[in-house]
Amino acid sequence: MGFLIEVFWALLMAGVPIAVFTLALVWWALQGGHFQESLDPRALEREMQAMGKKNKKGKKGKKGKKEETQSPVSQHPLQKKWGKFGGGFYGIVAFFTYIVVEVLDITTTIMNFGGFIDFLKQLDIGLIISMFIEALTNFISAMIWPVYWMDRIETNQKWVWFAVAYGGYWLGLRMAQTLFQRRKAAET
């Protein structure tokens, strides 16, 4: 019975959020033309991973400086941030982790000041620098998301949580492709 309860909590806390996040992000990228339309799920995954590698490395031009690419992926800030974390399962969960950590951190900061209005009244350069440094540490936490989440999951069956999270990613990816293809077919 304990195992079934563990699976239920993993579905609720990891599988469904990762599935919805993947669905939204990939569907949006397909809709925006950031990825080639493909009926092959593996081709889409390879394209997502290539996006991650491309955004991590950048292109070096003359004098060793990075040049901005002209692809649609590098033009949108959301895609650029996603690309910094990588493209596939690891990148999506890292991006999801970054958003969760940032939202929690910003909410806590605002609440510590007594609310949004008091936060705005006390906003100064020191607080902005502190928030910037905190954003960098949150980025690092997101990059090492397995460590971040293992510290927060109180169970002896952590593999269940990772398997369910991957299942959510896989399901979200397939749903995004299916919905995109159905919408495209309905438009023609």
Side-chain angles (χ1 to χ4, degrees):
M1 186 67 165
F3 180 74
L4 291 177
I5 292 171
E6 193 70 36
V7 170
F8 172 76
W9 281 112
L11 281 168
L12 186 64
M13 303 300 288
V16 172
I18 294 298
V20 170
F21 187 71
T22 303
L23 168 66
L25 196 58
V26 173
W27 184 83
W28 175 78
L30 285 167
Q31 212 41 40
H34 299 290
F35 296 133
Q36 305 252 337
E37 180 191 355
S38 174
L39 298 175
D40 181 17
R42 292 190 190 269
L44 179 60
E45 285 185 66
R46 283 192 300 272
E47 198 171 347
M48 288 168 48
Q49 290 170 349
M51 176 219 30
K53 289 177 184 175
K54 184 178 185 180
N55 280 340
K56 280 183 183 177
K57 292 179 183 176
K59 287 187 177 180
K60 293 204 175 186
K62 297 177 184 175
K63 301 179 185 175
K65 294 182 180 178
K66 282 188 179 179
E67 293 179 357
E68 288 294 319
T69 58
Q70 295 301 315
S71 71
V73 172
S74 65
Q75 292 175 357
H76 195 281
L78 183 64
Q79 289 291 122
K80 198 171 188 179
K81 183 61 92 173
W82 177 20
K84 285 183 181 180
F85 289 110
F89 171 68
Y90 193 92
I92 283 184
V93 177
F95 191 29
F96 177 78
T97 302
Y98 180 73
I99 291 171
V100 167
V101 172
E102 276 292 299
V103 167
L104 290 174
D105 194 40
I106 290 169
T107 304
T108 302
T109 301
I110 291 171
M111 289 299 136
N112 286 341
F113 280 101
F116 188 69
I117 300 300
D118 291 332
F119 168 75
L120 290 177
K121 288 179 184 176
Q122 297 179 31
L123 190 64
D124 63 1
I125 190 70
L127 182 59
I128 292 171
I129 291 171
S130 173
M131 289 176 71
F132 177 74
I133 292 169
E134 192 65 32
L136 288 176
T137 60
N138 292 345
F139 181 80
I140 293 168
S141 293
M143 291 304 291
I144 56 172
W145 65 262
V147 174
Y148 177 84
W149 289 113
M150 281 192 283
D151 285 346
R152 281 148 186 83
I153 299 170
E154 296 179 16
T155 181
N156 292 329
Q157 301 173 357
K158 295 182 186 206
W159 65 271
V160 170
W161 288 73
F162 286 105
V164 167
Y166 186 81
Y169 160 77
W170 183 86
L171 184 65
L173 191 65
R174 299 311 174 264
M175 286 174 56
Q177 276 188 299
T178 302
L179 290 174
F180 179 74
Q181 291 165 358
R182 284 184 182 172
R183 182 170 182 178
K184 197 161 188 170
E187 289 175 355
T188 58

